[in-house]
């Protein structure tokens, strides 16, 4: 895919032009790109309003065509995926090491001194154990479980989801403007996951990558 413009004003103008041209999938793609970067408050405010208008028009278009899909502008990643992807696997691992050694040192030192010191010691020990477990699990998930994904938008009004790359597989029409997870690139297609959990393959030209 061609690298997306990063200038907020360019993205805003692109979104406005695509809206006037009734190319709502492209318009939503440009708006979401704009909202994914740091933009001046006035442009961001106008982009949020335009996003609402675009989503409303896309939903009405899908409803008229008999497709009841609901358009969501929220991140299509799962809650666990969003949590694990907050930090890199290496960051999770370093925090795990730090919390592990904190717990180790607190166990060696033991509870000594006044009651207030013992209370602080116990509190730090509990927090260290919880942090160590949380970061250890997150590190494992980031490396072995979660597949990093990008957010994409269906730009075409004739997009199709193929459930596998095998010839003759089931094919579903996907409404323009659906926000989904792009898992990986496979030849001329992208492997994707829809908000309703369906996974399959879509042509590159039917999708726009947001981030």
């Amino acid at each position: 895919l061609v690298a997306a413009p990063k200038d907020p004003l360019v993205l805003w103008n692109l979104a406005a032009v695509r809206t006037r041209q009734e190319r709502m999938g492209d318009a939503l793609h440009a708006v979401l790109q704009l909202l994914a970067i740091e933009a001046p408050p006035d442009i961001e405010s106008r982009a949020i309003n335009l996003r609402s208008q675009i989503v409303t028009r896309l939903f009405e278009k899908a409803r008229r065509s008999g497709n009841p899909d609901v358009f969501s502008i929220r991140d299509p990643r799962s809650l666990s995926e969003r949590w694990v992807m907050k930090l890199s696997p290496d960051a999770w691992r370093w925090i795990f090491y730090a919390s592990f050694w904190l717990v180790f040192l607190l166990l060696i030192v033991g509870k000594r001194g006044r009651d207030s010191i013992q209370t602080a010691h116990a509190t730090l020990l509990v927090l260290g154990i919880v942090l160590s477990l949380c970061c250890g699990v997150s590190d494992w998930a980031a490396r072995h479980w979660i597949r990093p994904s990008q957010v994409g938008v269906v730009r075409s009004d004739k997009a199709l989801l193929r459930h596998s790359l095998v010839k003759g597989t089931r094919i579903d029409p996907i409404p323009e403007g659906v926000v989904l997870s792009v898992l990986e690139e496979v030849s001329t297609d992208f492997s994707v996951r829809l908000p309703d959990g369906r996974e399959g393959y879509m042509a590159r030209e039917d999708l726009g990558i947001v981030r």
Side-chain angles (χ1 to χ4, degrees), residues 2-64:
V2 178
K6 297 299 183 183
D7 187 292
L9 186 57
V10 172
L11 287 170
W12 166 253
N13 289 332
L14 180 61
V17 169
R18 293 294 183 255
T19 302
R20 287 196 296 270
Q21 293 173 337
E22 294 294 326
R23 294 169 58 179
M24 293 302 161
D26 284 332
L28 182 60
H29 178 224
V31 167
L32 293 183
Q33 283 181 308
L34 171 56
L35 294 174
I37 63 177
E38 196 164 325
D42 60 326
I43 294 181
E44 183 176 359
S45 176
R46 283 185 285 168
I48 291 173
N49 291 332
L50 182 59
R51 180 184 63 183
S52 299
Q53 297 173 31
I54 293 170
V55 171
T56 299
R57 291 166 71 173
L58 282 166
F59 178 74
E60 284 300 314
K61 179 179 178 180
R63 186 182 61 80
R64 288 194 303 269

Side-chain angles (χ1 to χ4, degrees), residues 147 160-172 184-192 199-204:
R147 290 186 292 174
L160 299 173
L161 175 75
R162 290 183 292 157
H163 285 252
S164 79
L165 295 176
V166 178
K167 193 172 182 180
T169 189
R170 175 183 162 191
I171 297 178
D172 295 336
E184 60 181 337
E185 186 175 356
V186 183
S187 185
T188 59
D189 297 333
F190 280 119
S191 171
V192 302
E199 294 192 8
Y201 300 88
M202 296 184 69
R204 289 181 55 172

